[in-house]
Amino acid sequence: MIFKKIKEDILYAGMNDGGRLIFDELIPLDKGTSYNSYVVKGSDKTAVIDTMYPKFTQEYLKSFDENGITKVDYIIANHGEQDHSGSIPAMLEKFPDAIVVTNATCAGNIKEMLFVPAEKIKIIKNDEEISLGNKTLQFKIAPGVHWPDTMFTYIKEDNVICTCDFLGAHYIFDDVFAVPSKELEKSAKKYFAEIMMPFSTMCRKYVQMVRDLKVEMVLPSHGPVHKNPDYILDLYADWAGEKGKNLVALPYVSMYNSTKDMIDYLADKLDKKGISTVKYDMVNGNLGDLAIALVDTTTIVMGTSMVLTGPHPAAFNTAYLASVLRPKAKIASFIGSFGWGGNLFGKMAEMLAPLKLDIIEPIQVKGQAKPEDYAKLDNMADEIYKKHKELGLF
Ligand code: FEO
């Protein structure tokens, strides 16, 4: 556990989970994550903003004793997901006079998921405030970043905001304050891709809201505290923006290298035209690398071998993930190789349909690509170049 002063009478009370290798059983973590909780000590009342991942509840509770926090009046639930709300029942046992403060949607969640009794919950509305004496907590209901129940807690006199998952990162640290680095940016981007990208419109709205508040610090519930809010706000504004970069993502799976040869050929052609590419091995790659590429990519060209009568299952997995993460990509196509028959691309195109992509004519070959297939790949590269140019990416 780390207990550390953030500002006068505002304490970080969270911990690093360096052993966590994957989050949501989906995206591998580079170096684990942190679960952040904050203690705000007013002249009359004490509040705890978000709690702890249940696995570490006992350690978390003990740290209150070790740091002389003997009274908690309010437990603020910014969000009902258990990595932040999971220790609320144990906190209510330890501090029986405390009440949970949250919005109506989150109240429903913690009642149903954690069996928090209704009489222990105070439901607040947007912009409602509670006083701790010399400090005031104001609640900013922020549905969509990333659950419908999400809200932020703004500590008015200190001009700092606790944004829960929003503006977070799966990152661990010795000092709780962010030190900008490529490593932090990569972790935050991967986190954004998995957790926030499907809600980019809402991200843009709340980036502006936090900017308008001109806060001194951003206190998220994963990753470091930002003393320079513009650092993380600028990154989120870029990632959540509507326009992609001059980038083509090339996820592929290839049984006999026929598909990979075509992906390599296309990547080379695109590189020569000044278009960046990211190749991603759908079987052996790290899903986080694909997620990061999807944040920026304008075009996705998927390569797959045929397995029996359809695409390789890894290609289905990627197409599904892309459809639910809702990247800003505008263009797509498919490349693949088959042995004896089947429908290689139909189901993938169906999966990607919600993204409303502009589909370039796919290329399907029997076995290895022939000269006429390479000519088609040349045409595909030309077509991508033309479309990127039309989108103003050069
Ligand atoms: Fe970190 Fe949505 O919980």
Side-chain angles (χ1 to χ4, degrees), residues 27 64 67 81 159 166 196 202-203 241 292 373 376 385:
I27 302 272
F64 282 79
N67 290 278
E81 196 165 6
N159 194 24
F166 186 56
M196 296 292 162
M202 302 309 281
C203 287
I292 285 173
D373 302 313
K376 287 180 187 169
Y385 176 84

Side-chain angles (χ1 to χ4, degrees), residues 79 81 83-84 146 165 222:
H79 169 37
E81 196 165 6
D83 52 335
H84 310 295
H146 65 133
D165 287 315
H222 299 283

Side-chain angles (χ1 to χ4, degrees), residues 23-24 34-35 79-84 145-147 149-150 164-165 170 191 195-196 221-222:
F23 209 87
D24 292 341
S34 69
Y35 314 105
H79 169 37
E81 196 165 6
Q82 289 93 326
D83 52 335
H84 310 295
V145 288
H146 65 133
W147 276 23
D149 70 356
T150 301
C164 200
D165 287 315
H170 288 313
Y191 172 101
I195 297 170
M196 296 292 162
S221 291
H222 299 283

